[in-house]
Amino acid sequence: MDYYKLNVCGLKRDLPIIQISDDLKIASFVLLGDAELAAKAGYELSKRIDCDIIVTAEAKGIQLAHEIARNLDKESFIVARKSEKSYMNNPLSVEVNSITTANTQKLFLDSKDAEKIKGKRVALVDDVISTGQSIAALEALVEKAGGKVVQKLAILAEGDAADREDIIYLEKLPLFEV
């Protein structure tokens, strides 16, 4: 197996290169469970953030959003869920297509979380921004709730996302065309 050597926040990780379609491979970055990297990246990104509330999508951005919120002494952050939960009251939803997910998914926001977002300046947080579809869906959900997205942050910008001027990220991650 081939690996991509990532260096972010002074930490080195060997990412396996995985084929995800006939003509594309990616370096598989999984933040879940990497407490050391989440803490360091969360600290670095917290220096660059200016918002009222942090929003992330389930599941890989949760650990990072937690670290950023902790560093900023925020009492909470909001997680958009990938399925509608029985406890949700009048949830808002949007559809999303991601490079790492085969099928169209939905993101859901409980009405009590939507109320917390209404009229607020929101920072979106994710582990990796690639095609931008996930972050665009999250932004649409925040706007549906009446919030205003003021920042989009990630540990890594993959492929062409590194050229975007509307995101803040720590390192670039290449795509590998076959």
Side-chain angles (χ1 to χ4, degrees), residues 95-113:
E95 288 190 350
V96 60
N97 291 300
S98 170
I99 189 173
T100 57
T101 306
N103 300 319
T104 299
Q105 292 183 319
K106 285 189 174 185
L107 289 177
F108 294 88
L109 195 60
D110 187 23
S111 60
K112 71 177 178 64
D113 288 332

Side-chain angles (χ1 to χ4, degrees), residues 18-132:
I18 307 295
Q19 189 150 359
I20 62 168
S21 71
D22 290 340
D23 57 352
L24 185 64
K25 293 181 180 183
I26 63 168
S28 179
F29 177 75
V30 179
L31 183 62
L32 290 173
D34 193 338
E36 179 183 38
L37 182 52
K40 287 196 176 197
Y43 176 74
E44 289 303 318
L45 288 171
S46 68
K47 295 179 195 177
R48 304 176 190 193
I49 199 166
D50 181 22
C51 67
D52 299 319
I53 196 157
I54 297 164
V55 176
T56 192
E58 188 177 48
K60 294 193 299 184
I62 294 172
Q63 191 173 0
L64 181 62
H66 175 266
E67 288 294 336
I68 294 170
R70 190 177 59 76
N71 284 316
L72 296 175
D73 291 324
K74 295 214 178 268
E75 293 178 9
S76 63
F77 61 94
I78 292 175
V79 179
R81 304 297 303 264
K82 290 187 178 175
S83 62
E84 186 174 350
K85 304 299 179 189
S86 60
Y87 60 78
M88 291 181 165
N89 184 25
N90 298 320
L92 301 177
S93 70
V94 296
E95 288 190 350
V96 60
N97 291 300
S98 170
I99 189 173
T100 57
T101 306
N103 300 319
T104 299
Q105 292 183 319
K106 285 189 174 185
L107 289 177
F108 294 88
L109 195 60
D110 187 23
S111 60
K112 71 177 178 64
D113 288 332
E115 277 301 313
K116 291 177 185 176
I117 290 171
K118 189 175 183 179
K120 299 290 197 246
R121 297 168 51 255
V122 177
L124 305 179
V125 172
D126 207 349
D127 60 338
V128 179
I129 297 175
S130 186
T131 64

